[in-house]
Amino acid sequence: MTGPRISRREILGGGAASGLAGLAGCIAEADVLGMQSGSDGPTLAVLEDRSQDFALTGTPKYRTTIPAIEEINRNGGILGEEIDVFAPDP
């Protein structure tokens, strides 16, 4: 006995819809947090845990991301705009 077959097209459509819904949620959350309204340039969110159980993997990623952003800003930013960093500890 087999169940209904799901095509690759249906799987890809569902994945795309999920991705778009997640992106819409991120955009709405950024607006609620004031990330869009308070900055003139591009904002980059660094969402890495730096405390509790996941700090073992999150802290090294955070410590390598911030100097990379600082280097980009020293070299003129993105299209002449300095990158603002939003880095809460989730």
Side-chain angles (χ1 to χ4, degrees), residues 32-59:
V32 168
L33 293 173
M35 290 171 52
Q36 300 293 331
S37 60
S39 65
D40 294 333
T43 300
L44 185 104
V46 181
L47 301 175
E48 297 296 343
D49 288 312
R50 297 182 308 273
S51 62
Q52 301 295 327
D53 296 334
F54 294 109
L56 182 64
T57 58
T59 301

Side-chain angles (χ1 to χ4, degrees), residues 45-84:
V46 181
L47 301 175
E48 297 296 343
D49 288 312
R50 297 182 308 273
S51 62
Q52 301 295 327
D53 296 334
F54 294 109
L56 182 64
T57 58
T59 301
K61 290 190 278 183
Y62 174 80
R63 288 182 179 168
T64 55
T65 303
I66 296 301
I69 295 168
E70 290 171 352
E71 182 178 346
I72 291 169
N73 284 339
R74 277 194 308 273
N75 291 323
I78 297 176
L79 298 174
E81 299 281 338
E82 190 171 297
I83 301 171
D84 296 321

